[in-house]
Amino acid sequence: MTFQNSGTLATSRARRSLARPFEPSLLCSPPAEQSGENRNEWKKSTEEHEEWKRTTAEPWTYRRQSSYLIEDEEQQGPTESRFGISSGPASQPGQHCSEEEAEHPDRHRGPKVDGPQEEVNGRRYEKEETRNHVTALVPLILPPYGAILLAYGLVMAIGALGFNLLLGYTGLLSFGHSAYFGVGAYAVALMVKYLKVGSMELFLVGAVAASVLITALFGVVCVRYTRIFFGILTLALSQVLWSLAFKFFWVTGGTDGLRVPTPSLFGGLVTGAGDKTAFMSHAYYYYVLIVFCVCAALMWVIVNSPFGMALQAIRDNETRAEFVGVRIWRYRWVAFVVSGVFTGLAGALWVPLNGLTTPDIMHWTFSGEIVFMTVLGGFRSFAGPIIGAIVFNYLKTYAVGYTVYWQLLLGAVLVALVLSLPTGIVGTAGKLAARFQRRG
Amino acid sequence: MSLLVTKDLVKWFGDTHAVDHVNFTVKESEVLALIGSNGAGKTTLVNLISGLFRPDAGQILFRDADVTHQSVHGRIKAGIARSFQLVNLFDQLTALDNVALTIFSREGKIANLVALAAADSAVWDEAHEILRLFGLDAKGRMLAGGVSQGERKLLDVAVAYALRPKLLFLDEPTSGVSTREKAPIMDTVTSVVRSTGISAAIIEHDMDVVFNYSDRIVAMHQGTILADGTPDEIRRNETVTTTLIGTTETH
């Protein structure tokens, strides 16, 4: 395959990308504003990334990275994976792809899969060639794509549950939770890069430790303030982490991010060898489900504990809470740390699903998404953030698949939902149920 | 025997002496009324003693221990509790939760993240009992923000009482309620206070309430103590009568 319009940096980048297995994030050139030294840094980062990949045990192939991508993707144009991470030839806003890439997105997907395929819900997926012993026992309730999509929703639900401990129960609106999500994700990626760790359990432990460290430090600064001051501080600190992830490319991979291989689960009992789609839609899906259930149960206990009551007291009336003996800053700090750890845990679960972590997930706009999914579901109820995260995930995914103007469509839908459901989905459902009960 | 003593307590707000070298005492098991016109320094004095404000000078001794520089939390542990002039409750929690939370705090159980609050039956039994004492047992399941003003006033006192203090400051417990509601509220509050043997210092403007329910009255004016005595002594004090209470002239 040759490129006709050679000469542009974007094209040469695309050509280089064809010489190796598919890597979506490497297809696009650095942002337009990057030039000169920055561009050289970017090249250096890419070379280091290549070197790291050569030293890893598992080869990266298109099939392992994105085999669950639907085949009719090329008809719908470039797509973007959830949360704005490029998963195909699509480019992020502000990044370039060559015209040829845009016209022939399939050219950059690496070798076509020759193996057998199966059709599910009118869409063709690669047939699972190998199934590990666990997935063989798991009943196929959902099609692979649906299971993976739900897994994303559940992961975000864990993050939203953590976020809502601050917003719904403590009365603190954080605009910096993308940072803790990113800390979890990067903790996993850095464990892979430097420690060659492949166990999901170790990933979770590492992510929790990193989240505790960062949120404990940030919390000391933030919890002395409330309202807009708290929000601005959390936002500013998250942007500090984002810029570190962005600039320290020799550690974080810069805009290229860091790849994370398919992890082993349950202490190595379940491995990701074989078909990645099968692994993600079965074993990993159930793993996420189990972690989600544990997290939801733990959060439910926390918000219904005496500590949870104290947080609600602080939310309702800080002065009175102090005069019944609640140490305001201390409890806010603990809530901040717990909230960050849940979000960090979500980041750790998310990154193997996505296969890649980039600084985008630490950007404040992603914090906005966490806020939005929580408000959408209803931050005054325990289940609200869970429902909101799953619904938001579906809305975003289908909006991305429906139009290139998906942000506009998603924004319009979300504004309509918030205006029509001011107490969120769960709050509105509760009101409707109460109304029907009264009539009954 | 004095439970609380303040020595030359001073608080300035700019050029204003809100509290000016005040020597104030509260004795064991007494109901004391603190009276004075608006701006006399009553609430500031209570704020200084309860820890909301830091004094500019002077000393606060509680049970012979210096609590001048202790935190609010430390003073609560020592046995000082208060209610507020404007009702301060946790409006999104039920009346029962308001009291139970205070008991959890008093018992040091509030830091527990991994135990269900509902499982601690001893706390909930005590919370029910306190609500019953204040005649609020029927309102236990209602949100604190949803009960009437008189009931909110009582609940405010009940929450402070749930800390099992030795000294309870009540800042205008009958303000904002109808004349008809004042007597039942004060009957309830003083009966609970007297039955448990704790001391109460009540800031009040209604002289009927003051003279009917207090053992001793301290009158304040412009940041200083004007008079200190029994209700009969205060009635006969001409300075207090002309400055604060007023007289009924006959023609």
Side-chain angles (χ1 to χ4, degrees), chain A residues 61-96:
Chain A
T61 65
Y62 162 65
R63 188 163 181 274
R64 288 184 56 75
Q65 164 61 22
S66 54
S67 58
Y68 65 89
L69 291 176
I70 53 176
E71 276 216 347
D72 56 359
E73 189 179 51
E74 61 189 83
Q75 295 165 6
Q76 298 179 356
T79 64
E80 204 169 70
S81 74
R82 281 137 297 279
F83 318 119
I85 310 303
S86 174
S87 63
S91 62
Q92 294 280 10
Q95 291 182 309
H96 304 288

Side-chain angles (χ1 to χ4, degrees), chain A residues 195-209:
Chain A
L195 303 177
K196 306 289 185 274
V197 172
S199 162
M200 194 64 213
E201 288 73 35
L202 289 178
F203 286 165
L204 296 183
V205 170
V208 167

Side-chain angles (χ1 to χ4, degrees), chain A residues 298 300-327 331 334 338 380, chain B residues 50 52 72-73 76 82-84 88-93 97 101-102 104-105 109-117 124 156 159-160 163:
Chain A
L298 185 60
W300 191 82
V301 170
I302 289 172
V303 300
N304 287 289
S305 68
F307 174 78
M309 288 178 75
L311 295 185
Q312 293 169 67
I314 292 170
R315 174 200 66 196
D316 280 3
N317 194 328
E318 186 181 325
T319 304
R320 188 53 190 256
E322 190 176 11
F323 277 89
V324 298
V326 178
R327 294 173 187 264
Y331 284 92
V334 174
V338 172
R380 285 293 191 190
Chain B
S50 62
L52 191 60
V72 170
H73 190 258
I76 291 169
R82 67 169 296 181
S83 71
F84 291 82
N88 257 320
L89 292 170
F90 310 119
D91 286 345
Q92 298 298 315
L93 301 182
D97 286 346
L101 170 72
T102 310
F104 277 121
S105 174
K109 297 175 178 175
I110 206 164
N112 197 342
L113 278 81
V114 288
L116 289 176
W124 295 99
D156 201 11
V159 168
L163 288 168

Side-chain angles (χ1 to χ4, degrees), chain A residues 93-400:
Chain A
Q95 291 182 309
H96 304 288
C97 285
S98 68
E99 290 176 9
E100 192 161 351
E101 285 177 42
E103 289 170 8
H104 306 286
D106 55 324
R107 289 185 185 179
H108 310 300
R109 291 181 187 167
K112 281 280 185 184
V113 178
D114 296 322
Q117 297 185 342
E118 62 185 355
E119 191 164 310
V120 182
N121 288 350
R123 288 174 174 175
R124 278 185 293 164
Y125 299 85
E126 294 169 43
K127 185 167 276 184
E128 297 164 12
E129 292 177 341
T130 55
R131 294 182 180 184
N132 60 44
H133 57 285
V134 169
T135 53
L137 298 173
V138 174
L140 294 174
I141 299 169
L142 291 169
Y145 181 67
I148 289 171
L149 204 54
L150 189 55
Y152 272 108
L154 292 173
V155 165
M156 291 316 301
I158 295 171
L161 272 175
F163 170 79
N164 201 42
L165 184 68
L166 281 186
L167 178 63
Y169 290 92
T170 319
L172 295 171
L173 175 55
S174 165
F175 279 113
H177 265 52
S178 60
Y180 319 126
F181 190 90
V183 164
Y186 271 96
V188 169
L190 293 173
M191 285 171 78
V192 171
K193 182 177 178 181
Y194 291 109
L195 303 177
K196 306 289 185 274
V197 172
S199 162
M200 194 64 213
E201 288 73 35
L202 289 178
F203 286 165
L204 296 183
V205 170
V208 167
S211 303
V212 166
L213 188 69
I214 295 296
T215 53
L217 284 173
F218 283 14
V220 169
V221 178
C222 296
V223 299
R224 292 162 190 266
Y225 302 91
T226 56
R227 297 186 286 272
I228 188 67
F229 307 103
F230 177 83
I232 293 295
L233 265 177
T234 53
L235 188 149
L237 289 171
S238 77
Q239 287 300 95
V240 169
L241 281 192
W242 171 79
S243 62
L244 290 177
F246 188 70
K247 293 292 182 186
F248 289 162
F249 54 86
W250 60 90
V251 177
T252 63
T255 51
D256 289 345
L258 294 174
R259 294 202 166 280
V260 173
T262 310
S264 64
L265 310 178
F266 303 112
L269 285 176
V270 183
T271 63
D275 190 294
K276 184 170 182 176
T277 306
F279 177 78
M280 287 297 171
S281 62
H282 293 84
Y284 197 73
Y285 165 76
Y286 284 105
Y287 192 86
V288 167
L289 186 63
I290 290 167
V291 176
F292 165 77
C293 289
V294 170
C295 286
L298 185 60
M299 184 57 80
W300 191 82
V301 170
I302 289 172
V303 300
N304 287 289
S305 68
F307 174 78
M309 288 178 75
L311 295 185
Q312 293 169 67
I314 292 170
R315 174 200 66 196
D316 280 3
N317 194 328
E318 186 181 325
T319 304
R320 188 53 190 256
E322 190 176 11
F323 277 89
V324 298
V326 178
R327 294 173 187 264
I328 308 294
W329 288 357
R330 184 179 297 180
Y331 284 92
R332 274 201 195 128
W333 181 80
V334 174
F336 193 91
V337 172
V338 172
S339 173
V341 166
F342 270 72
T343 311
L345 205 60
L349 286 168
W350 172 85
V351 69
L353 263 178
N354 204 59
L356 172 77
T357 179
T358 65
D360 295 347
I361 56 163
M362 291 180 132
H363 199 251
W364 69 269
T365 49
F366 185 59
S367 294
E369 289 190 7
I370 298 174
V371 174
F372 214 107
M373 52 185 77
T374 306
V375 172
L376 178 66
F379 65 92
R380 285 293 191 190
S381 64
F382 180 79
I386 300 170
I387 302 296
I390 293 170
V391 169
F392 182 89
N393 190 50
Y394 277 108
L395 282 175
K396 183 171 179 180
T397 302
Y398 286 107
V400 168

